[in-house]
Amino acid sequence: MKGKRILMTGAAGVIGSDLRRWLVEQGATLRSSDIRPFGQLGDQEEIVIGDLCDAGFASRLCEGVDAIVHMAGRAKEGQWTDLAGPNIMAATHLWDAAHTHGVERIVYGSSNHVVGFYRPEEKISNDDPQRPDSRYAITKAFGEHLASVYAYKFGVKAFCIRIGSYRPEPISRRELSTWISPRDLAALVEIGLNADYVFETVFGISANKRAWCDNARAHELGYQPRDDAETFAARFGENREEAGKLENQFQGGGSAAKEFLADPALIPGR
Ligand SMILES: NC(=O)c1ccc[n+]([C@@H]2O[C@H](COP(=O)([O-])OP(=O)(O)OC[C@H]3O[C@@H](n4cnc5c(N)ncnc54)[C@H](O)[C@@H]3O)[C@@H](O)[C@H]2O)c1
């Protein structure tokens, strides 16, 4: 990590704030950026404020950078008018700029909602087709496709992390399956910044006993998660009545169930 010039987008956000502190501790030379202002951590960090929906800004941001950790965007469901700019146009500007400026690789904050319409009893792998559960999830699925074309066609390597539920501790039963601790996400980002690959999609979850996915590819690349949400399981009792609820029928939970009007049985199994 030492000496690597890394651009961190979404640096004022929940994940970005933690990751840039960790990257500075690792000795990276950091350019941190967000649309909203935030405080500088030290001499190793340059702060650049601006909107990634502005292609010229995205281009200036990528000058002289070796790698990008892309966490900027709208992190929740919304209307297309809310999502198209920060999650689609901003991503196209960033990947174009990375290509133009010869950036070697991008670590991308994707989401488990890209596969949110699989069922909890289906153990999915990164080879399973995307099955997005919302407009937000479609923008993340788009990001993964963008990343793959720019990797395979233009040589901008990409490591897409389908982040589950990022926080210090899980806060619901569902998160016993989807949780990722800050140190485990940092470990995945480290692999994304250093491992030998062209294009990868991995699951951003800790070593959860109740995981709904097989994260074998991440493990092959060296991921050794240190946390397991099961440690917190006693906080969330078994509630049989909850099991039949629509939101519990899909890996995507409430996001998958939101605005749902059709028959869930029509969604094919794996
Ligand atoms: N937190 C989670 O559990 C989780 C789970 C799955 C995926 N993700 C993804 O990881 C990434 C980071 O998540 P987070 O929880 O830190 O979100 P966050 O909302 O806290 O941070 C996102 C940051 O992006 C910035 N941003 C938005 N639009 C921008 C633009 N046009 N130009 C520049 N900056 C812009 C925001 O100001 C914000 O600081 C997001 O892309 C999110 O979709 C997060």
Side-chain angles (χ1 to χ4, degrees), residues 1 8-28 30 32-34 36 38-39 41 45 69 71 163 165-169 179-187 189-190 193:
M1 205 80 74
M8 168 95 238
T9 75
V14 174
I15 293 177
S17 300
D18 288 351
L19 280 181
R20 69 193 181 89
R21 187 160 291 111
W22 169 77
L23 282 164
V24 164
E25 283 165 14
Q26 303 305 304
L30 211 54
S32 296
S33 182
D34 203 287
R36 52 190 169 120
F38 56 101
L41 286 176
E45 187 183 44
V69 180
M71 292 291 157
I163 303 169
S165 309
Y166 176 90
R167 45 182 121 254
E169 297 178 357
W179 180 61
I180 183 160
S181 67
R183 64 180 176 178
D184 285 343
L185 182 62
V189 170
E190 186 166 18
L193 288 171

